[in-house]
Amino acid sequence: MSSLAFYRGIYTEEHIQQVYGTPQLPPSSLAGWLKGRLLRGCQCSREGTLRLLRHWLPITAWLPGYRPKEWLLGDMVAGLTVGIIHIPQGMAFALLTSVAPVYGLYTSFFPVVLYMLFGTGRHVSTGTFAVVSLMTGSAVERLVPGPLEPNATSSEELAQIEGQRIGLAAAIAFLMGLLMMTMFALRLGALSTFLSEPIVQAFTNGAALHVLVSQLQSLLGLPLHRPDGCFTLYKMLTSVVEALPLTNVAELLISGLCLGVLVPIKEINRRYQSRLPTPIPGEIVMVLVATGICFASSLDTRYNVQIVGHLPAGFPQPQLPALRSLPHVIGDTIAVTFVAYAVSVSLAMIYADKHHYSIDPNQELLAHGLANLVSSLFTCFPSSATLATTSILESAGGHTQLSGLFSSVVVLVVLLWIGPLFYYLPKAVLACINVTSLRQMFLQFQNLPELWRISRIDFAVWVVTLLAVVVLNVDLGLAVGVVFSMVTVVCRTQRYRAGGFLSLGLVPLPLLRQCLEVPGLKILSYPAPIYYGNRGFFREALSHLLGLRSGFWVTLLRRAVPSVPPGAVQVVILDCSGVAFVDSAGAHLLIQVLWAEGGVGVGPVSGTQTIGGSVAGTQEIGFGGWQA
């Protein structure tokens, strides 16, 4: 049995007060407590102001320490690559939102700049996202339905419908920004802890199926309205099957050729990712080629192929969105807000864990809230972090948020000068770009066998969330997944507590106000489950107790054992006897801690759990669980 023996004198309460002094008790009255809080809150110093500025405006914290020789080239290459992807993807996702493609370019510019200033995710790419665009487009289609025969409608009527639609989409973005800012003020960023990786992965897969089915009408050239409510997927499939005789053969051929080119390019980019300096920009090449062919062959007039049309050059004039429509979109906006924040903060956490830094979930609310609130004044629809471009940004060598500056420069060039050249771009090409952008979401099915081996309950959460999203709808499916996940946590916690009693004995020791520690040794007990809901608190608590800076605890922990100064922590013992269960997220966290480089050892402490007393102040303490 591993044991530790130390000697100390027996203290009395009077002796403790003589050595350490009488503790200061908090004010007994509510008025005294409020007075103390107000006095502390009204105090202002230069250091406090700078600390608050660095916290609320993260660029002032990371930009002074920027290392150009190491990071600038990677940020520039990654930013330019993502900027090129933003152009066709922004126009394509604008179609999902049921607005003109130029508004997708606006949404690919303004939120990127704002997130660079206020965001904490170094590898997060913001802009248009398929799931958020689809949910916004459903509300737009319901409140402002478009004509089934665009060619039979006058240009004035089409322009009026288009203005109403973008005003409504901008209003959703405006209200979404207000909701996120309110959540930031109430410090509700901790809600992100209830979004486990199985929930987010299953949700994005289910939403990808909705996006795929919604694009069938554009791939086939069918004039259909987008259904809403529950069972949307089946309603859309039924409408497509019934309208198959109306398929536009020219648009079907365009879609087949585009998919035949884009899918192999995506596969080449995936297989040879390590060998390619940057991914092959198949989307922008296809956009240029299709635009040229459509212009030369007059496909729009000869075969009734739907094209993008006029893209105005320059910036939009700032204007208020259609605020009068806010009461009609409150329900839709709440759903879009939680979905956008869930995807954004989950992506930020995934890449922060991969590159060993931390994000502030509450600050992410401020960043995305400001991005949507300000962007809505420039006729932008709701934005969030994007799965495809975030992956490209990280794989292309991006290091910091500065890559967003180069991405926005590419979009700015298109807005100012190149945009009108896309007049003859077929909308079927944009639908193909939407479909191929979902590929990475569907690749998450490959994680299911590993998830089954790690935690079958997490596997059940994944399956239930996916089925709920597919059968019901995107927003309801996410709610069902979160509720089911919380039910599993409650059930597991209750089950382990019911049979997890420990037999404790009375220790003949006087009660001490603070424990006496052995220099160089930390013995930490964590009497709670380690799962996705508290992994952030576990990490921060461990960092605090070990005296490590938040955000760099993994790196510093690796260096703790090989070379430490006198008096520093040399041995850390984690008592996990009180840990009821560990899920897949908690297992990954423990692996990072226990198997860190630098000589950290791990192994079970043999023997039973005992805390026994002895005479003359000698104590022998044995700990069950794991030691590092």
Side-chain angles (χ1 to χ4, degrees), residues 481-544:
V482 172
V483 171
F484 181 76
S485 177
M486 295 305 300
V487 169
T488 62
V489 171
V490 172
C491 293
R492 282 186 286 179
T493 305
Q494 290 179 339
R495 182 185 66 183
Y496 276 87
R497 284 181 178 176
F501 291 101
L502 295 177
S503 178
L504 302 178
L506 187 63
V507 180
L509 293 174
L511 296 177
L512 300 179
R513 187 168 289 113
Q514 56 181 171
C515 64
L516 301 176
E517 297 184 348
V518 178
L521 173 65
K522 277 283 187 179
I523 303 174
L524 306 177
S525 177
Y526 194 77
I530 303 176
Y531 65 107
Y532 74 89
N534 68 350
R535 58 179 177 177
F537 301 106
F538 178 88
R539 179 180 59 193
E540 294 298 327
L542 184 62
S543 303
H544 175 72

Side-chain angles (χ1 to χ4, degrees), residues 590-604:
L590 286 176
I591 289 173
Q592 289 180 2
V593 176
L594 299 178
W595 294 100
E597 299 175 2
V600 177
V602 59

Side-chain angles (χ1 to χ4, degrees), residues 431-476:
C432 294
I433 294 174
N434 277 333
V435 172
T436 55
S437 68
L438 305 174
R439 177 183 171 280
Q440 186 150 359
M441 298 186 190
F442 292 130
L443 287 178
Q444 296 175 357
F445 280 98
Q446 299 175 355
N447 301 330
L448 285 180
E450 180 183 1
L451 189 63
W452 173 265
R453 291 191 298 268
I454 295 176
S455 174
R456 297 187 179 182
I457 294 182
D458 282 351
F459 181 87
V461 171
W462 199 100
V463 173
V464 169
T465 304
L466 177 69
L467 292 177
V469 172
V470 171
V471 174
L472 299 177
N473 207 343
V474 176
D475 48 357
L476 290 178

